Amino acid sequence: MGNRAMQQRESADPGTQGEQTDPLLRLKARLCRTGGVQGPVEVDDALTVSRDVQQDHPVWADPARPQPIYVLQEGLAYSFAFLPGGRRHIDDIFGAGAICNWTGYSAPEYRCNLMFKAGSKIALLDRLRLRHALEHHPASAALFQRHELARTLRTSQRVRALISLPASHRLTNLLLDLQQEYALGGLEDEWLPFGLTQQEIADTIGITMVHVSRTLAKMAEAGELERRRGKFRLSRPDHLKRLLDYRDFFSPHPENQHA
Amino acid sequence: MGNRAMQQRESADPGTQGEQTDPLLRLKARLCRTGGVQGPVEVDDALTVSRDVQQDHPVWADPARPQPIYVLQEGLAYSFAFLPGGRRHIDDIFGAGAICNWTGYSAPEYRCNLMFKAGSKIALLDRLRLRHALEHHPASAALFQRHELARTLRTSQRVRALISLPASHRLTNLLLDLQQEYALGGLEDEWLPFGLTQQEIADTIGITMVHVSRTLAKMAEAGELERRRGKFRLSRPDHLKRLLDYRDFFSPHPENQHA
DNA sequence: CGACGACTTGACATCGATCAAGCGAGGTGG
DNA sequence: CCACCTCGCTTGATCGATGTCAAGTCGTCG
């Protein structure tokens, strides 16, 4: 099942990484975790390329060329667009195992700009081969669908907060989403890296970088947030989730989606 | 093909509306228009109920009960949710022929609150029968997919504006979306009704009702907007579209999506 | 006529943007 | 090793945008 995947795999630095780990391991783990199952995910046939990212690497939406399905193996990525004034807006963030342009799976004409942060690893899936694989494995197809529904719902939740709530709540919501993306990618340390610069955070939640800096400082002063050497820790995440009515759509158990 | 539809059709006021027009006429017209085709849309088999709305009529998301697919025959509707502070947020607006909860088609567990404004007409589609119909008519299925992709892209465009742009631009974007929904539903008059109260507009674009009032007044003073007896007209829509980089994702011709 | 809802208007307070300067860590060249 | 640069971030001063509170207008309906 994974033969073709292994054959076609490329690596930017084969020397340093000796182990032949599955490039889609994180993706499968995410899908199973979100779906609440343990079975296999039949997706290896769709894998074409796997590569590393040294510096922040943008991928521009090009209407003229087809865009493969981007899966983030490791690291952090985001999708973005530009506003009339020339400012950038970040639409969504992606952690390890995430699919960065799922809309393109069923709508080939869909394109989006993606930014892969330094240290990330990318895997590319072929749309048609993925379709072929999922048509033959309805259980796997259901996992993809379940997972992307969760992302859709989470995006709606964040968007509501970003449109209507003040800066501190917007920022809190983003940090909760970020924490969740890390957790879904297997990173559940107590202290988490921001992963994004304050400018990128600003472009995500629609305020200026200066205000991000001040808001972070205020949250730290209020005891909601701790910062240490470029990492952060939410002091009382459950309290914040209750405050924002933040729901976890990636949990396979609906009862966990409240508070 | 439409036999079952006709048999099961209900009408709240059979006396006043003598003509037996197709309840899904607007839907089909929208799908064909967006898809740039003229062929038939095979969806009649999924129709279960058609009814009128006298006063503003909310439909509450109930996780315990399955939700049919809501199609708006006539009038205006919107989906909404509540923010932590108890305030309401309006996520999207729907004109005649629109599908109000398309996400529920492929994700039965999806629920949303809907509000049908006074004077609307609703048609309900059965999810399974719709699935059955679309599986046998790939061309029709493609039309649905094309149409809902356009909605997704338009929502992303509006959300970006609502998160990052000042009130006047947010309001302009909403009015352009509203105008587009009307046009897709067959209403292309020079003067269009607001359809939403200023409070509803406020809940959509994330500002207060007082500020909506002031912003409308300013736009009128600036000559961008004309108001008369509860209706409005954008003086130079093309100018506004260029200003906001507003794209028409519902146009079947990609070249129209710019300016 | 009175009640009500939608909207408008004014005064004021608060939030967030803007502009400008400075700090500190990491990299680079001499 | 130091001087210097750059980048990400911080801080202060000020201004404009938006929210809040309150009063008032207007049209509709009974």
Side-chain angles (χ1 to χ4, degrees):
Chain A
M1 192 57 65
N3 296 345
R4 186 194 270 159
M6 278 314 197
Q7 289 162 13
Q8 301 212 4
R9 181 174 171 209
E10 303 174 5
S11 179
D13 191 353
T16 50
Q17 55 158 135
E19 352 86 77
Q20 293 290 325
T21 59
D22 178 3
L24 299 180
L25 194 63
R26 296 270 187 220
L27 168 64
K28 295 171 184 172
R30 262 183 90 121
L31 296 182
C32 288
R33 174 172 182 164
T34 302
V37 299
Q38 296 215 342
V41 181
E42 304 294 351
V43 62
D44 290 323
D45 283 348
L47 179 67
T48 58
V49 174
S50 167
R51 76 170 111 95
D52 291 12
V53 170
Q54 306 298 337
Q55 267 79 34
D56 290 12
H57 175 65
V59 170
W60 300 100
D62 179 355
R65 271 184 309 184
Q67 201 173 33
I69 306 292
Y70 284 84
V71 171
L72 191 68
Q73 290 182 60
E74 294 290 344
L76 200 63
Y78 55 83
S79 61
F80 64 102
F82 290 97
L83 297 164
R87 282 155 52 208
R88 172 183 62 173
H89 172 76
I90 295 179
D91 293 292
D92 207 355
I93 55 174
F94 305 94
I99 306 159
C100 302
N101 57 340
W102 177 249
T103 302
Y105 171 67
S106 44
E109 67 271 33
Y110 172 78
R111 299 283 184 286
C112 67
N113 303 314
L114 293 172
M115 178 72 78
F116 296 93
K117 296 289 290 180
S120 297
K121 294 187 187 179
I122 311 175
L124 303 188
L125 302 186
D126 180 76
R127 204 179 67 82
L128 295 177
R129 277 199 262 151
L130 179 58
R131 166 161 309 211
H132 185 264
L134 295 188
E135 273 171 1
H136 287 73
H137 300 281
S140 296
L143 286 180
F144 276 84
Q145 194 174 292
R146 168 78 181 82
H147 183 263
E148 296 308 318
L149 172 65
R151 180 175 291 280
T152 299
L153 295 177
R154 188 183 66 177
T155 300
S156 296
Q157 171 176 259
R158 182 177 60 246
V159 156
R160 266 177 226 130
L162 296 184
I163 290 176
S164 300
L165 299 184
S168 64
H169 287 188
R170 299 190 204 187
L171 184 51
T172 302
N173 199 308
L174 176 61
L175 291 178
L176 288 170
D177 283 355
L178 195 56
Q179 190 175 40
Q180 185 177 59
E181 274 301 297
Y182 282 136
L184 290 168
L187 179 59
E188 310 206 42
D189 296 348
E190 194 178 357
W191 293 87
L192 297 169
F194 280 101
L196 305 171
T197 67
Q198 290 190 9
Q199 183 62 58
E200 287 166 331
I201 294 175
D203 291 341
T204 309
I205 66 181
I207 66 178
T208 58
M209 187 198 66
V210 172
H211 202 54
V212 168
S213 174
R214 287 194 232 264
T215 307
L216 283 171
K218 264 184 197 163
M219 286 180 64
E221 195 183 355
E224 300 172 1
L225 178 76
E226 295 163 79
R227 304 166 71 182
R228 188 186 296 172
R229 289 168 311 175
K231 300 199 172 190
F232 75 96
R233 186 168 82 105
L234 294 172
S235 309
R236 298 180 298 166
D238 292 339
H239 172 249
L240 294 176
K241 289 178 185 176
R242 234 175 293 117
L243 205 65
L244 288 185
D245 196 15
Y246 183 90
R247 296 167 67 168
D248 175 9
F249 299 104
F250 286 89
S251 164
H253 311 296
E255 62 273 18
N256 289 354
Q257 292 178 14
H258 304 86
Chain B
M1 192 56 66
N3 295 346
R4 185 193 272 159
M6 278 312 195
Q7 289 163 14
Q8 300 213 4
R9 182 177 171 206
E10 300 173 8
S11 177
D13 191 353
T16 51
Q17 55 157 136
E19 353 85 76
Q20 291 290 326
T21 60
D22 178 2
L24 299 180
L25 193 63
R26 297 274 187 217
L27 169 63
K28 294 170 185 172
R30 262 182 90 121
L31 296 182
C32 288
R33 175 173 182 162
T34 303
V37 299
Q38 294 217 343
V41 181
E42 305 293 352
V43 62
D44 290 322
D45 283 348
L47 180 65
T48 59
V49 174
S50 165
R51 74 169 113 96
D52 292 11
V53 170
Q54 306 298 337
Q55 268 78 37
D56 289 13
H57 175 64
V59 170
W60 301 101
D62 179 355
R65 272 184 309 184
Q67 200 173 34
I69 306 294
Y70 284 85
V71 171
L72 192 66
Q73 291 182 58
E74 293 290 346
L76 200 63
Y78 56 82
S79 60
F80 64 103
F82 290 97
L83 298 163
R87 283 155 52 205
R88 173 183 63 174
H89 172 75
I90 295 179
D91 293 293
D92 207 354
I93 56 174
F94 305 94
I99 306 160
C100 301
N101 57 340
W102 177 251
T103 303
Y105 170 68
S106 45
E109 66 273 33
Y110 172 78
R111 298 284 184 284
C112 68
N113 303 314
L114 292 172
M115 178 72 78
F116 296 94
K117 296 290 288 179
S120 297
K121 294 186 187 180
I122 312 174
L124 303 188
L125 302 186
D126 180 76
R127 205 179 66 81
L128 294 177
R129 278 200 261 151
L130 179 58
R131 164 160 308 209
H132 185 262
L134 295 188
E135 274 172 0
H136 287 74
H137 300 280
S140 296
L143 286 180
F144 276 84
Q145 194 174 292
R146 169 78 182 80
H147 183 263
E148 297 307 319
L149 172 65
R151 179 174 292 279
T152 299
L153 296 177
R154 188 183 65 179
T155 300
S156 296
Q157 172 176 259
R158 182 177 61 247
V159 155
R160 264 176 228 131
L162 297 185
I163 291 176
S164 300
L165 299 185
S168 65
H169 287 189
R170 299 189 204 187
L171 183 52
T172 302
N173 200 308
L174 175 62
L175 292 179
L176 287 170
D177 283 355
L178 195 56
Q179 189 175 43
Q180 185 176 60
E181 274 301 296
Y182 282 135
L184 291 169
L187 179 60
E188 309 207 43
D189 296 349
E190 194 177 358
W191 292 87
L192 296 169
F194 280 102
L196 305 171
T197 67
Q198 290 190 9
Q199 183 62 60
E200 287 166 332
I201 294 175
D203 291 343
T204 309
I205 66 180
I207 66 179
T208 60
M209 188 197 64
V210 172
H211 202 54
V212 168
S213 174
R214 287 195 232 263
T215 308
L216 283 171
K218 262 184 199 162
M219 285 179 66
E221 196 183 355
E224 300 173 1
L225 176 76
E226 295 163 78
R227 303 166 73 181
R228 188 186 295 174
R229 290 168 312 174
K231 300 199 170 189
F232 75 96
R233 186 169 81 104
L234 294 172
S235 310
R236 297 181 298 166
D238 291 339
H239 173 248
L240 293 177
K241 288 178 185 177
R242 233 174 294 117
L243 204 66
L244 287 185
D245 197 14
Y246 183 89
R247 296 167 67 167
D248 175 10
F249 299 105
F250 286 89
S251 164
H253 311 296
E255 62 273 20
N256 290 353
Q257 292 178 12
H258 304 84

